[in-house]
Amino acid sequence: MPRFSVIVPAYKLQAHLHACLESVLSQTYESDESPAFDLEVIAVDAGSPDSCGEIIDEVAARDPRVVAVHLPADPADPGQGPGPARNAGLARATGEYVLFLDGDDTLAPHALRDIADRLKASGDPDVLVFGHAHTHWSGEREYVLPPHLTESGPVSFPLDERPDLLRQPSPSWNKAYKREFTEREGLTFAPGRHTDTFWSYATLLAAGSLSTLERVCVHHRRRRGAAATSGRYFDLFPQYDRTFDFIDSRPELNRWRPVLARRMAEHLVAASATVLTAPGLSARTRTEFFRLARAHYGRHRVPGAAGLRYAGVRFGTYRIYRVLRGIRALRARTRALAAKVVRPVRSAALGLHYRVQRCRPVREDLAVFSAYGNRGYACNPAAIEAKVRELVPGMRTAWITAPEQDATVPSATPRLRPESFGYFEALARAKYLVSNVEFDHRLVKRRGQILLQTHHGTPLKTVGSGSDGPSGGLARHRRRPPARRRRQVGLRPVRQPARHAGPASVPSRPRTPRSNTAARATTCCTAPPRPAWPHCANCSAFRSSRRSSCTRRRYRDYSRSQHLPLDLERLGPRARPGVLPR
């Protein structure tokens, strides 16, 4: 039995089908040279009038993992939507997990490897949700990694722990489904467009266990100038009717009705805006759409949906919606104009406040910390702040962080908001300023202030003036005067690049506070070795009588989970003899 069954429906997609199938068939598990994945690809020709069927047959003849399926064309409904094609693929799937991929989409390199690793780590849940990227016709990509995809917390969980999964647009191709689960629940796709609506919400509601993968696995192509047909918009209503019928058939799911009703209202608002401006639609068609939208809005009783945003759907007339849309546009322009006036005034006030605070004495008992551009309590600054509170009781500490990162800061440490009056007062008067990245470019170092900048990384890392490209720090360093500051560098291979990275001396230190596991080791770390990768829960180290090498993941500021994607079973046989990775 293959691990994955990837179902690819195709209709008038001959220009992109080759790339789609190749992105799946070229998936490998460990590296580009390793053996191919044990998978099957079910390519379904949905009665396409172009060469999609021939392309599928050609690829199937070359690769035995491809199963070709041809559906007859329906003259009454050309294309039939992806639903019947996906159902035909489901009927022939034999893999443990099923994935759907549109014929013009592609899988990201090593996507199946990461999906397989996450499924293994989470105990084979019913549904795994992963990230995706929208590929526009111009080639630009828009990455979609919403907060609810974080891998922090339990690896497997019920829907009650992350209800936000229901509050987002939910396509079918950003998930992996256990085939046994879909067969047990009897789930199939409905005909027509917007068929993902019922399928995605039904699978999330019925799943006993869910998991997430914070990684872009699918590149979804957005076509330029999609045809505007009445059926494309009117098919939305029966899909939501089927979703609510599914909830009614299972009384235990009734608590999710308000959440889905609110999501339906959001969807109808977005569709209404498209119908209002879509070319090729008559006024009669638009009027009928708004009438049906009003009926669905009232039938499913949307709680908490009020205001101008929902008024057009709520009152359900084409003319009223056009008026309300104009009012909303006018309000948005008014707010934008007000922001253009308020923003410079506030900026000038903050600048004046900072200059005034610089005239006041430096506070010898104040130390201010930040990490990764005010993204939370982490890394070397966090270790230093904790030790300062422990060893210097008279020293007051504060942490600069955004509101969404408040939970990471200890309760004993006051929080400072970036771009606030308190923030600029701290920059002006704190004796010690500690960060692991560049300080605020508006900071003017005063006599008596001490700036400590910690560093970490590998010999491959480029920082400061060693950086290249539009996001590098070279231009920034050229503009700034050589302020006297102290840098803390723990790894010897990083010291030399750090000397050239910016205008500061680089003191040497055998280890950094954050990764000094040996200094914080407990008795469990010195216990006799145990077989098969002995693990210390207190210090996240592996103990062994053999030589060990420490491997820690580099912090990624765009990732919320910060997990270590390290498979020790795969790494062990490849480690050098006598070396135990930890």
Side-chain angles (χ1 to χ4, degrees), residues 38-345:
D38 180 21
L39 59 87
E40 67 174 358
V41 180
I42 304 176
V44 184
D45 170 25
S48 180
D50 60 4
S51 301
C52 286
E54 299 175 7
I55 294 173
I56 292 174
D57 291 336
E58 174 189 336
V59 177
R62 186 176 70 246
D63 195 318
R65 295 176 297 170
V66 179
V67 178
V69 178
H70 297 275
L71 299 181
D74 185 359
D77 184 16
Q80 309 173 58
R86 289 171 177 166
N87 289 336
L90 279 172
R92 292 165 174 78
T94 60
E96 296 179 46
Y97 278 84
V98 177
L99 288 85
F100 300 101
L101 193 66
D102 290 347
D104 54 350
D105 297 347
T106 56
L107 281 181
H110 301 307
L112 291 185
R113 177 196 66 186
D114 294 336
I115 293 174
D117 289 346
R118 186 59 177 171
L119 290 173
K120 178 182 177 181
S122 53
D124 288 345
D126 291 335
V127 179
L128 172 71
V129 187
F130 43 79
H132 63 278
H134 293 299
T135 303
H136 298 272
W137 63 269
S138 60
E140 299 177 356
R141 283 180 180 169
E142 175 189 349
Y143 291 90
V144 182
L145 287 170
H148 60 256
L149 290 185
T150 177
E151 296 173 30
S152 303
V155 292
S156 181
F157 51 87
L159 183 61
D160 300 81
E161 295 187 10
R162 294 200 191 169
D164 285 345
L165 289 171
L166 285 179
R167 298 189 177 102
Q168 302 290 331
S170 192
S172 62
W173 37 259
N174 71 338
K175 304 176 187 66
Y177 311 90
K178 184 182 287 187
R179 183 172 59 87
E180 178 186 352
F181 157 70
T182 60
E183 292 178 350
R184 181 178 68 247
E185 299 294 335
L187 299 174
T188 58
F189 287 88
R193 282 77 176 173
H194 297 286
T195 186
D196 288 3
T197 300
F198 166 74
W199 172 271
S200 294
Y201 293 135
T203 52
L204 291 174
L205 290 169
S209 58
L210 300 167
S211 186
T212 55
L213 173 62
E214 192 182 8
R215 185 204 188 284
V216 170
C217 296
V218 173
H219 296 156
H220 176 65
R221 186 179 301 276
R222 284 187 168 178
R223 307 177 197 174
R224 184 182 186 185
T229 60
S230 60
R232 177 186 173 191
Y233 305 105
F234 284 88
D235 285 349
L236 182 63
F237 302 115
Q239 296 295 345
Y240 272 108
D241 285 338
R242 191 181 181 196
T243 303
F244 285 108
D245 290 342
F246 180 79
I247 293 177
D248 293 339
S249 65
R250 305 188 180 200
E252 69 275 10
L253 300 179
N254 194 56
R255 68 185 187 278
W256 296 109
R257 173 179 280 275
V259 178
L260 280 178
R262 183 65 176 263
R263 174 58 200 149
M264 183 196 71
E266 296 280 352
H267 201 165
L268 291 179
V269 168
S272 298
T274 304
V275 169
L276 187 67
T277 58
L281 296 181
S282 64
R284 183 176 182 178
T285 299
R286 291 187 172 98
T287 302
E288 179 65 13
F289 176 86
F290 281 97
R291 186 188 66 80
L292 291 175
R294 177 185 179 183
H296 274 69
Y297 184 95
R299 182 185 311 158
H300 299 298
R301 297 188 300 276
V302 181
L308 288 176
R309 176 174 178 80
Y310 303 97
V313 175
R314 184 179 182 183
F315 297 113
T317 64
Y318 176 42
R319 293 179 179 178
I320 290 179
Y321 190 85
R322 291 182 62 183
V323 172
L324 294 175
R325 191 168 184 265
I327 295 175
R328 288 180 57 198
L330 179 61
R331 186 173 62 177
R333 285 194 293 268
T334 303
R335 288 179 176 176
L337 180 61
K340 288 182 180 180
V341 176
V342 173
R343 192 179 296 115
V345 173

Side-chain angles (χ1 to χ4, degrees), residues 467-476 479:
S467 301
D468 194 11
S471 61
L474 181 56
R476 186 167 62 250
R479 292 193 303 266

